[in-house]
Amino acid sequence: ETGVTQTPRHLVMGMTNKKSLKCEQHLGHNAMYWYKQSAKKPLELMFVYNFKEQTENNSVPSRFSPECPNSSHLFLHLHTLQPEDSALYLCASSATGVADYGYTFGSGTRLTVV
Amino acid sequence: DAKTTQPNSMESNEEEPVHLPCNHSTISGTDYIHWYRQLPSQGPEYVIHGLTSNVNNRMASLAIAEDRKSSTLILHRATLRDAAVYYCILRDVRRAGNQFYFGTGTSLTVIP
């Protein structure tokens, strides 16, 4: 257990479904991140939240909709996905400030779009 | 952002030391060198980081070249549990919006 919990661990959804991924941390961190990792590819940063405010969106399609209701929780709402969106979705959190804090990652949600 | 170059893959025998190299010739003076590893079906986990001096922790050692253009992650005795993809990443926390951007890393195979 890393301190960052992601649910569900596995998700299979149809292209017309709506689902949500959840991420939770109780490490006292105030920054949270969504990454996507497709097969045989590097991790891609999707969204960044600092103190509940979205500070970065790396040209992610609108079928992915993040939500950060507080500094401990992060959601990724999914709708009308495509098969190429099948991937491992990873959440991470970190402290922020002048020191160089590392990231703590969750174990990810393995998403399959059928 | 300054880039890093790592070999795609390496092999090591179990209980032998492993030296994982990383080149970062365009590193700036305020870039920290971070190492993460990702075990199969897991998220990446922090291994070690440093700025100029060599660093040691319970997992590994980080040797940084004097000119900082390269670094080496040292696993002192490889175990089968060390088989993972190892990422070397540069990060300047003082630059706004400078997050962790992962490359393809080095896939380490540990041979029993």
Side-chain angles (χ1 to χ4, degrees):
Chain A
E1 187 58 54
T2 66
V4 176
T5 303
Q6 289 188 244
T7 53
R9 288 298 306 273
H10 300 272
L11 177 63
V12 179
M13 61 184 289
M15 289 188 283
T16 58
N17 291 157
K18 289 184 180 181
K19 296 286 184 184
S20 295
L21 310 185
K22 179 181 177 182
C23 176
E24 185 173 357
Q25 60 91 9
H26 295 288
L27 300 169
H29 292 167
N30 42 44
M32 297 187 78
Y33 315 83
W34 280 116
Y35 282 84
K36 173 186 177 183
Q37 188 173 33
S38 303
K40 308 294 184 186
K41 290 186 178 179
L43 281 78
E44 301 170 50
L45 179 63
M46 299 175 73
F47 300 104
V48 179
Y49 277 82
N50 278 289
F51 294 96
K52 304 187 300 178
E53 298 298 320
Q54 187 180 125
T55 56
E56 196 161 332
N57 175 340
N58 281 328
S59 303
V60 180
S62 60
R63 58 185 184 270
F64 295 91
S65 175
E67 179 190 2
C68 189
N70 55 60
S71 292
S72 298
H73 294 87
L74 184 64
F75 295 89
L76 188 62
H77 303 300
L78 315 171
H79 63 97
T80 59
L81 294 192
Q82 304 298 311
E84 60 264 30
D85 296 322
S86 298
L88 180 67
Y89 288 85
L90 290 158
C91 173
S93 70
S94 73
T96 57
V98 296
D100 192 11
Y101 299 105
Y103 287 11
T104 301
F105 282 85
S107 297
T109 295
R110 174 73 60 186
L111 174 68
T112 303
V113 181
V114 297
Chain B
D1 295 317
K3 292 187 180 296
T4 63
T5 304
Q6 300 177 253
N8 287 333
S9 62
M10 290 184 65
E11 287 187 351
S12 172
N13 293 318
E14 195 176 10
E15 299 191 5
E16 296 284 324
V18 184
H19 290 232
L20 297 163
C22 181
N23 288 319
H24 28 78
S25 58
T26 59
I27 192 170
S28 73
T30 50
D31 278 326
Y32 278 80
I33 302 161
H34 287 256
W35 284 84
Y36 280 73
R37 72 179 187 180
Q38 187 175 18
L39 280 66
S41 301
Q42 297 289 326
E45 65 174 343
Y46 169 82
V47 178
I48 201 165
H49 79 288
L51 184 62
T52 56
S53 304
N54 294 343
V55 184
N56 299 296
N57 66 23
R58 63 174 181 80
M59 289 181 71
S61 295
L62 176 60
I64 301 173
E66 197 168 334
D67 64 5
R68 300 187 70 237
K69 294 187 176 183
S70 65
S71 61
T72 302
L73 178 70
I74 303 166
L75 307 179
H76 297 285
R77 289 180 71 230
T79 70
L80 296 179
R81 293 183 62 187
D82 291 321
V85 178
Y86 287 79
Y87 299 98
C88 168
I89 309 165
L90 303 182
R91 183 178 182 222
D92 184 350
V93 70
R94 286 178 285 183
R95 272 190 279 151
N98 197 2
Q99 317 302 345
F100 279 113
Y101 291 93
F102 288 77
T104 53
T106 297
S107 179
L108 176 66
T109 300
V110 180
I111 302 168

